Amino acid sequence: MGMALSIYQETDGYYNPAVYYSVQAYGFTSGSKYPTSASGLPSDSDVEQYKTLASHFGELNLYENDGKYYAVKPAETVQVGGQTLSMKIDLGGIGKGYAVDKIRALYDEKGFEYGYISFGTSSVGLFRHSTQGRFTLGLNSPRTLFGDNYMTLKVNDVNISTSGDYEQYYEIDGVRYCHIIDPTTGKPVQTGIYTATVIGGSAAEDDAYTTAIMTMGKDKAIEFINSKLTDRLVAFTCNK
Amino acid sequence: VSLKKVEQVRSDKGFKIYDLIIYAAVILVIVALFLSFVVFRDTTKIDGISVYLKNELAFTYTFDGDEYNVVKSENIEIISNDSTELNIKILSDDDGYNLLTINKIEGWADVTEANCSTRKDCVYMDRIEEKSQGIFCTPHGLKILPYDYEEVDDGKINM
């Protein structure tokens, strides 16, 4: 949670895990179903309320007391459909990377040198390949057939995190709705960035950075990458 | 064409040494492909099948004991199951589907219908009976392989 708060601040709020209600309203929480028509989408006024709630994530109070860790939500509440809602957090944008980091630490402790840790296509921790040394990493093309790569590279002993709008999504009236929420709109990202990959840092941090890059849009993303991610390899694809 | 050129063509050999090398290489490739795909292929009957969606295991079936395992319940729908056939619907992203029939008596599996593309290669691919066979549907990221098939780890990771 501390790392999430830190990256929220570092990315000027473009990574924001407090968008849970938007994720839920657009049908991307477990047990939810994707809407099949525009009438199943949340109303603009509801989304505006969710966005307002999420914008207070920076006020989250984290502290430790007597060996226990606490997170106190901001007092801000909103009214949606006659219900009072307080902040809810979705750590899906950082959780898999965090798990890779933790498992990697255990592997390092035991002295494993070969293989890889994979949490789907979101975060992967590579060691070395048992016979070839380096792995051939293929970054999936977001708008072509499964298996096509827009970039391949040889890597070992690094973490890789990727976010994209091409695996969890649906389309209604020609508009694509994916699981990554833009905190500036409260809606699924429409920034023109289809997928982003960050290589070389902590998997948790890079997981969150890829989400932030998706929500920034091309120009802001390039500015952010050039100023904050100079020690990493970053790739993204966009529509212009 | 000048007479000089005609004379030059007449005096040339039918085959030059480099031509023969190329022909020999082509023949060798054809023979190698024939040996690997026809003569030396694994013709052992399959024990069952494994269904992968985007490289993740979604479903398995083994003929011994007539057992199936739905690993990804959101992607697998059992259509019918009796003593002779198991029919499942494999659901992929964007309302994609493939219908898979497993014949328990004859020991094969086959994709019988899909909405992947107009060509529907997966429907027309041979059914899986032997351990050297597989059915692939690229638009849906679907692989159907023999149950105990072991892919060679070539060090390639997609994400």
Side-chain angles (χ1 to χ4, degrees):
Chain A
M1 196 79 88
M3 186 183 289
L5 190 56
S6 167
I7 295 177
Y8 167 83
Q9 287 156 351
E10 187 182 4
T11 60
D12 292 332
Y14 281 100
Y15 167 71
N16 186 338
V19 292
Y20 176 86
Y21 290 114
S22 287
V23 175
Q24 183 182 44
Y26 282 98
F28 292 106
T29 48
S30 59
S32 304
K33 286 195 170 180
Y34 294 161
T36 53
S37 65
S39 62
L41 295 169
S43 68
D44 284 349
S45 58
D46 286 357
V47 169
E48 193 61 28
Q49 296 299 304
Y50 303 147
K51 188 184 86 171
T52 301
L53 206 50
S55 68
H56 291 270
F57 180 67
E59 298 161 28
L60 188 73
N61 182 19
L62 303 175
Y63 64 93
E64 183 256 332
N65 184 19
D66 203 18
K68 295 178 180 175
Y69 295 89
Y70 298 87
V72 180
K73 291 196 283 190
E76 179 78 14
T77 59
V78 295
Q79 297 289 319
V80 176
Q83 284 189 311
T84 303
L85 304 179
S86 62
M87 184 182 290
K88 267 193 174 182
I89 291 168
D90 176 4
L91 292 170
I94 199 170
K96 290 179 184 173
Y98 186 79
V100 167
D101 284 339
K102 287 292 177 189
I103 295 169
R104 178 166 209 125
L106 288 173
Y107 277 36
D108 286 341
E109 188 183 308
K110 299 292 180 187
F112 288 108
E113 294 179 42
Y114 302 100
Y116 64 92
I117 308 154
S118 173
F119 274 75
T121 54
S122 179
S123 278
V124 170
L126 297 183
F127 295 91
R128 279 189 291 152
H129 189 264
S130 58
T131 58
Q132 299 175 28
R134 290 188 295 174
F135 287 90
T136 303
L137 176 68
L139 301 182
N140 291 330
S141 297
R143 291 292 184 273
T144 56
L145 295 177
F146 173 76
D148 285 351
N149 299 135
Y150 78 87
M151 179 187 284
T152 57
L153 56 164
K154 298 272 191 182
V155 284
N156 64 285
D157 293 315
V158 288
N159 296 318
I160 303 118
S161 292
T162 289
S163 290
D165 69 355
Y166 54 94
E167 287 204 343
Q168 294 183 58
Y169 75 95
Y170 52 85
E171 286 186 349
I172 292 176
D173 299 334
V175 178
R176 178 177 293 229
Y177 297 87
C178 78
H179 69 297
I180 299 168
I181 300 297
D182 181 344
T184 65
T185 64
K187 299 178 179 179
V189 289
Q190 299 286 344
T191 58
I193 295 187
Y194 300 149
T195 178
T197 295
V198 178
I199 302 173
S202 128
E205 289 176 354
D206 291 353
D207 203 4
Y209 287 142
T210 58
T211 306
I213 289 168
M214 289 287 298
T215 65
M216 285 175 182
K218 181 184 168 189
D219 294 338
K220 176 72 185 170
I222 290 172
E223 186 186 328
F224 176 76
I225 291 162
N226 286 335
S227 63
K228 299 283 178 63
L229 302 182
T230 52
D231 58 342
R232 289 158 161 92
L233 175 64
V234 183
F236 68 81
T237 68
C238 59
N239 62 356
K240 55 186 173 183
Chain B
V1 180
S2 68
L3 288 174
K4 188 178 175 186
K5 183 70 179 172
V6 171
E7 280 305 312
Q8 186 183 346
V9 171
R10 279 181 179 163
S11 62
D12 274 353
K13 292 178 182 174
F15 292 103
K16 291 182 177 174
I17 184 66
Y18 293 116
D19 294 334
L20 294 174
I21 290 172
I22 290 170
Y23 293 144
V26 170
I27 290 167
L28 276 175
V29 168
I30 292 170
V31 169
L33 290 172
F34 178 78
L35 290 174
S36 60
F37 284 101
V38 179
V39 178
F40 295 126
R41 79 170 196 271
D42 188 351
T43 57
T44 315
K45 293 291 181 188
I46 57 172
D47 303 316
I49 52 128
S50 297
V51 175
Y52 296 86
L53 271 170
K54 296 193 173 179
N55 289 329
E56 291 185 14
L57 186 64
F59 177 85
T60 62
Y61 175 82
T62 50
F63 292 108
D64 183 23
D66 184 22
E67 288 181 354
Y68 69 80
N69 180 24
V70 178
V71 180
K72 293 174 82 77
S73 57
E74 68 274 24
N75 296 110
I76 302 295
E77 190 180 312
I78 305 294
I79 304 294
S80 65
N81 186 18
D82 58 32
S83 59
T84 58
E85 272 190 3
L86 171 60
N87 289 287
I88 66 169
K89 189 174 190 178
I90 303 162
L91 304 162
S92 50
D93 294 340
D94 209 15
D95 298 326
Y97 73 88
N98 302 70
L99 296 185
L100 176 69
T101 295
I102 298 167
N103 189 305
K104 302 175 182 180
I105 307 299
E106 298 174 15
W108 52 257
D110 195 17
V111 172
T112 55
E113 192 186 323
N115 65 346
C116 47
S117 66
T118 50
R119 291 190 309 167
K120 298 187 180 183
D121 293 339
C122 56
V123 176
Y124 295 108
M125 290 178 83
D126 286 347
R127 61 195 192 188
I128 306 175
E129 289 180 273
E130 300 169 355
K131 289 192 174 181
S132 58
Q133 294 174 303
I135 296 176
F136 306 91
C137 179
T138 308
H140 291 165
L142 171 69
K143 284 193 299 191
I144 302 168
L145 296 169
Y147 178 69
D148 52 359
Y149 180 82
E150 285 185 21
E151 288 192 83
V152 176
D153 178 9
D154 59 358
K156 178 89 191 281
I157 294 176
N158 276 312
M159 65 183 299

